[in-house]
Amino acid sequence: MRTFIFITLSWSFIFVQSTNGQRNYYLSSTSGSDLNTGSINSPWQSLSKISSTLLNPGDTVFFNKGDRFVGHFVVNGSGELNNAIVITAYGKGDKPIISGKVGSAGGGDHREAILINNHDHIVLDGLEVNNERLVDRPGVDIERSYGIQVLNDGSRVLRNFQFRNLTIRKVYAVKAITKQDQGAFNSIEVAGIRFCSTRNSSNTQKNIQDVIVEDSYFTDLQRFGIHFKHEGGKKGVGNEFINRNANLICRNNEFFYLGGTSILPQRTYNCLIERNHFDHPGASTDPRMPARGSSVWTYRCINTVIQYNQCISTRGYFDSYGIHIDHFNKNTFIQYNYMEDCEGGFVEILKGNHNSVYRFN
C-alpha cells in the first residue's frame, strides 16, 4: 500500500513549462519561405528549416493553424528545468498538421513525423500529427511507424516531457498486419507516441523520466496509441529503476478505434494511467490493423496504477480484455475503472506477476 500512495501523490511538482521565451520561430507552409526571418510577419516554410535550427532553453516554435507540414521534424535542442522548449500553434483555424508522409518523390515516408532524439525538457501543445507510411524509405524498417518518437539512445537520463492537446491520427507502417499473419504481430511497432530507451550497458545507464501525456485524442492508428518502452540492461548492469522509463502519467486522453492497444507500458517504473476513455481498441476498421488488443496491458513494469478509466468494446481474438496484466510485473493496481462489452473479458493475469490487484471496478 505504501507503493500505491507514493505513486498517486508524489508527482504533482515534477512537470515544468517555459514561461520566459528566449526566441520565437514561426512557420507557415502556405505563406512562408525559408528565406524569411522566421518572425510572425516573415515565417519560415519547411520542417527541414526548423530541424536545422538549434533550439535553446526558452525558445518557442509556432506552426500556423490550418497548414499542413510534410517531412521530418527533428527537434534540435534541449530546454532546461523551468525553461522548456515549447512547440505549439498560432493563428486561427484547425490544428496545424505535421506528417511524415512524403511519398516516392520525397524519398519514401519517414519513420516518424516528429523525432526527439537525446533531447529533453520539451513541451508539445496543440498540434495534429499523422504518419501514414505507404512508401518504403531506405534504412527505415517497413514494420515501424510513429507519429512522435522520443528516443534515448545516448548516455544520459532524459527528463521532463509535456505532451498535451494533441490529435494523433492515421499512423501506419508500410507492412500491414492481418489476423492470418499473427507471426508478425509482435514485430510490428506502430504507435501514435513512442518513448523508447535503448538497452543499457556499463557505459550507458539511462532512461526517460517525468512524462505527462494529457488531454489528447488518438484515432485510426494501426496498433498502439502510446507506447513506453525500455530495452532493459545487460546482465549485471543498472537496477530496476534505471532499466525502466520512470514517473509517467497518461491522463484525460481519448482513444477511438485503434487497431491494437491504447496504452502499453513496457518496462516502466511508477506509471499512472487515469481518466482516459478507451473506445474500440482492437478495431478492424482498416484492413492493415491487427484487430487485437486490450485497452491497456503492462509488461515487466513496477508500481503501476490504472484508475478511473472507461474501457468500451475491446475487440480481438487473443487477450483483448478491458485491462490485463501481462508478464513479470510488480505492484499493479487496477481500480475504479468501468469496462463494458470487452471480448476477452474483464481480468487476465499472466505469469511471473507479484501483487496484482483488481478492485472497485
Side-chain angles (χ1 to χ4, degrees):
M1 186 60 66
R2 291 179 182 175
T3 300
F4 164 63
I5 293 172
F6 171 77
I7 294 169
T8 56
L9 298 181
S10 63
W11 298 346
S12 60
F13 60 91
I14 62 175
F15 300 108
V16 297
Q17 179 179 355
S18 168
T19 55
N20 299 308
Q22 182 177 355
R23 183 167 178 181
N24 296 334
Y25 299 95
Y26 293 84
L27 288 92
S28 172
S29 63
T30 55
S31 63
S33 168
D34 290 348
L35 299 178
N36 288 343
T37 62
S39 68
I40 190 169
N41 295 318
S42 181
W44 289 335
Q45 184 178 47
S46 72
L47 296 178
S48 59
K49 179 65 174 179
I50 191 62
S51 296
S52 65
T53 302
L54 178 62
L55 301 177
N56 295 297
D59 286 353
T60 302
V61 178
F62 295 93
F63 290 95
N64 189 38
K65 290 183 177 180
D67 283 359
R68 182 180 183 88
F69 300 84
V70 176
H72 196 213
F73 178 22
V74 181
V75 177
N76 183 14
S78 291
E80 297 173 339
L81 187 65
N82 299 318
N83 205 22
I85 291 170
V86 178
I87 300 165
T88 187
Y90 77 104
K92 296 181 180 180
D94 296 333
K95 293 175 182 175
I97 298 172
I98 299 176
S99 173
K101 179 182 177 181
V102 297
S104 299
D109 300 321
H110 291 279
R111 181 183 63 184
E112 63 275 302
I114 301 176
L115 175 63
I116 302 171
N117 189 190
N118 299 329
H119 292 298
D120 57 1
H121 300 286
I122 292 170
V123 175
L124 297 183
D125 187 355
L127 308 174
E128 177 171 333
V129 181
N130 310 157
N131 197 26
E132 185 183 19
R133 297 190 64 216
L134 300 175
V135 180
D136 190 15
R137 187 178 188 87
V140 179
D141 194 329
I142 61 172
E143 299 177 332
R144 301 285 182 270
S145 183
Y146 313 110
I148 303 166
Q149 177 169 212
V150 178
L151 177 62
N152 188 352
D153 60 0
S155 57
R156 69 181 182 92
V157 171
L158 300 182
R159 292 184 171 89
N160 291 327
F161 297 89
Q162 295 182 61
F163 293 178
R164 59 175 178 260
N165 190 29
L166 304 175
T167 298
I168 313 291
R169 74 171 82 236
K170 212 73 177 175
V171 179
Y172 287 85
V174 175
K175 182 176 180 179
I177 322 172
T178 65
K179 184 181 293 187
Q180 293 74 31
D181 188 21
Q182 279 305 292
F185 181 77
N186 287 321
S187 66
I188 296 284
E189 285 201 11
V190 176
I193 303 176
R194 184 194 198 220
F195 297 87
C196 180
S197 297
T198 57
R199 190 168 176 82
N200 283 335
S201 67
S202 57
N203 296 322
T204 59
Q205 297 189 40
K206 64 188 183 300
N207 62 9
I208 297 170
Q209 298 180 24
D210 305 341
V211 174
I212 186 165
V213 181
E214 62 182 350
D215 300 321
S216 295
Y217 179 73
F218 299 77
T219 190
D220 194 13
L221 308 179
Q222 187 175 13
R223 193 173 179 196
F224 302 126
I226 302 170
H227 187 190
F228 297 107
K229 180 177 182 179
H230 198 300
E231 295 180 352
K234 293 183 178 179
K235 187 175 181 180
V237 171
N239 54 41
E240 289 184 336
F241 183 82
I242 201 66
N243 289 334
R244 289 170 170 81
N245 296 321
N247 301 339
L248 316 169
I249 298 176
C250 297
R251 175 187 291 152
N252 296 332
N253 303 291
E254 183 175 357
F255 301 82
F256 188 69
Y257 282 84
L258 275 58
T261 291
S262 299
I263 302 175
L264 170 57
Q266 183 175 354
R267 284 197 177 91
T268 63
Y269 195 106
N270 291 355
C271 183
L272 175 64
I273 299 170
E274 67 175 3
R275 303 187 187 282
N276 302 283
H277 183 80
F278 308 115
D279 193 334
H280 281 84
S284 57
T285 46
D286 189 290
R288 294 169 291 179
M289 291 174 168
R292 168 187 167 188
S294 301
S295 298
V296 180
W297 55 277
T298 60
Y299 179 78
R300 292 187 180 273
C301 298
I302 298 176
N303 302 343
T304 307
V305 173
I306 305 170
Q307 61 183 7
Y308 301 111
N309 302 285
Q310 294 181 350
C311 308
I312 308 299
S313 299
T314 303
R315 290 292 176 263
Y317 38 90
F318 293 121
D319 297 317
S320 302
Y321 285 72
I323 298 169
H324 88 255
I325 302 172
D326 211 82
H327 295 91
F328 307 113
N329 301 278
K330 298 179 182 178
N331 304 331
T332 307
F333 295 84
I334 298 174
Q335 58 186 14
Y336 304 109
N337 302 285
Y338 178 79
M339 309 185 200
E340 177 182 310
D341 186 32
C342 297
E343 189 164 10
F346 176 59
V347 174
E348 181 182 36
I349 304 174
L350 301 180
K351 72 176 181 180
N353 289 290
H354 298 272
N355 199 20
S356 300
V357 178
Y358 283 79
R359 62 185 182 187
F360 312 127
N361 298 286

